Amino acid sequence: MIKGRVPTGITGLDELISGGFPEDSVNLVSGPAGSAKSLISMQFIYNGVVNHGETGIYLTLEEPRENIIRAMTSYGMDIEKYEKEGKLLLLDMGEVRRRSGSDEEVDVVGFEGLMTMLDNLLKFSGAKRLSIDSVTAIGLHYEDSPGRLRRELFKFASFLREKELTSLMITESIEGTQLTRYGIEQFISDSFIVLGLEDVKGELRRTLTVRKMRFTKHDTTKHPLLITSNGINVSAESKVF
Ligand SMILES: Nc1ncnc2c1ncn2[C@@H]1O[C@H](COP(=O)(O)OP(=O)(O)OP(=O)(O)O)[C@@H](O)[C@H]1O
Ligand SMILES: [Mg+2]
């Protein structure tokens, strides 16, 4: 079967990546604090639900769900409506752990536990899109062993590809030094989009660059990214020098 594209629905982005993410791929977005990582991943899920009738799952590992709902409501996204209809699942991993009676001292979830949970969740929801905000948080589980983190992340990406869904993982970048928190995430994913926050004469400017996308002819220019009341707007025609 020939695989198609999965449009993000984010203004200006799809035209940079031949119409969207490759179907069934594992995509990575990195950026510093406040660079719109959570917004891009929520818009990807929300647009799938609203414009394509595709069920989506948003896993939040760092922020409580109330924060995500509050932020997304401010962009006009009615998360609760689609949650009630069972088309959008917003899961707070902290809450899931507390409900399952896990040891609260253990504040981080590993890939093994996540795969077990997702296996069931994907079966009953039939989700076609998944956002994980963020894998940085999961990596904390393996801080003592970078080799193990790489193996586990690789296994996790293979698991996601087998599930016939298009996923988006978020990771932090470390300003000025590293594009991804662990320096390995971009080798394991099928695509890599880097968000930036640049200080231009005392004013912060947001940027977006597509650094890699397997199976895709894509743009490689650094573009301005604006946050408007409707969400992200990537200026596909303009460049940042
Ligand atoms: N209505 C709005 N209009 C313009 N900008 C906004 C609006 N609401 C929030 N922002 C900006 O968006 C930024 C947050 O975006 P988002 O939460 O997606 O970033 P993030 O990269 O996920 O951040 P973090 O690293 O904290 O998780 C805020 O820091 C704020 O500057
Ligand atoms: Mg965030």
Side-chain angles (χ1 to χ4, degrees):
M1 192 181 84
I2 296 171
K3 302 261 186 196
R5 312 298 300 184
V6 179
T8 65
I10 291 165
T11 309
L13 176 58
D14 291 326
E15 58 195 270
L16 302 180
I17 55 175
S18 293
F21 291 135
E23 195 178 344
D24 300 344
S25 59
V26 177
N27 304 279
L28 180 73
V29 171
S30 85
S35 58
K37 302 185 295 296
S38 295
L39 182 54
I40 206 172
S41 39
M42 183 47 91
Q43 282 195 262
F44 169 65
I45 295 298
Y46 194 81
N47 291 338
V49 172
V50 175
N51 302 327
H52 304 277
E54 295 179 344
T55 300
I57 301 175
Y58 188 100
L59 288 186
T60 172
L61 287 105
E62 285 173 66
E63 283 196 74
R65 44 174 278 129
E66 301 76 61
N67 282 18
I68 304 286
I69 293 175
R70 185 175 169 187
M72 301 310 151
T73 304
S74 78
Y75 298 106
M77 293 186 232
D78 192 348
I79 293 182
E80 283 163 319
K81 169 181 188 275
Y82 293 104
E83 266 202 308
K84 281 195 195 104
E85 294 174 9
K87 293 175 186 155
L88 193 157
L89 287 78
L90 170 57
L91 287 180
D92 180 334
M93 289 306 292
E95 225 170 76
V96 170
R97 274 200 307 283
R98 281 190 294 280
R99 276 204 215 137
S100 64
S102 306
D103 183 356
E104 284 203 44
E105 295 290 309
V106 185
D107 202 32
V108 284
V109 61
F111 288 112
E112 280 296 326
L114 192 58
M115 286 192 279
T116 309
M117 192 202 81
L118 279 175
D119 226 359
N120 292 320
L121 200 56
L122 292 172
K123 254 179 232 148
F124 93 76
S125 67
K128 298 302 286 174
R129 298 185 184 209
L130 167 72
S131 283
I132 303 170
D133 186 6
S134 68
V135 291
T136 312
I138 307 168
L140 295 174
H141 200 68
Y142 309 94
E143 265 198 326
D144 301 338
S145 172
R148 183 150 172 248
L149 171 62
R150 190 173 182 135
R151 284 195 301 279
E152 294 293 326
L153 190 56
F154 183 81
K155 231 197 283 175
F156 183 59
S158 308
F159 164 89
L160 292 176
R161 283 186 199 99
E162 279 169 15
K163 294 294 174 194
E164 296 185 352
L165 87 164
T166 306
S167 42
L168 196 165
M169 305 191 295
I170 296 297
T171 192
E172 278 165 17
S173 61
I174 305 171
E175 260 157 303
T177 56
Q178 240 172 250
L179 289 175
T180 55
R181 172 68 172 75
Y182 301 106
I184 55 166
E185 299 92 314
Q186 64 270 47
F187 297 103
I188 283 150
S189 62
D190 298 312
S191 85
F192 184 31
I193 292 176
V194 175
L195 304 179
L197 263 182
E198 293 181 12
D199 189 332
V200 180
K201 295 183 188 147
E203 200 183 305
L204 285 177
R205 301 261 179 88
R206 292 195 169 82
T207 65
L208 178 147
T209 314
V210 183
R211 292 191 67 107
K212 113 172 180 182
M213 194 152 299
R214 288 173 182 157
F215 330 115
T216 307
K217 182 177 182 304
H218 68 88
D219 177 284
T220 51
T221 312
K222 187 191 279 185
H223 295 276
L225 181 157
L226 298 175
I227 302 180
T228 72
S229 55
N230 298 318
I232 291 172
N233 191 320
V234 181
S235 309
E237 304 302 322
S238 355
K239 295 179 181 188
V240 176
F241 295 100

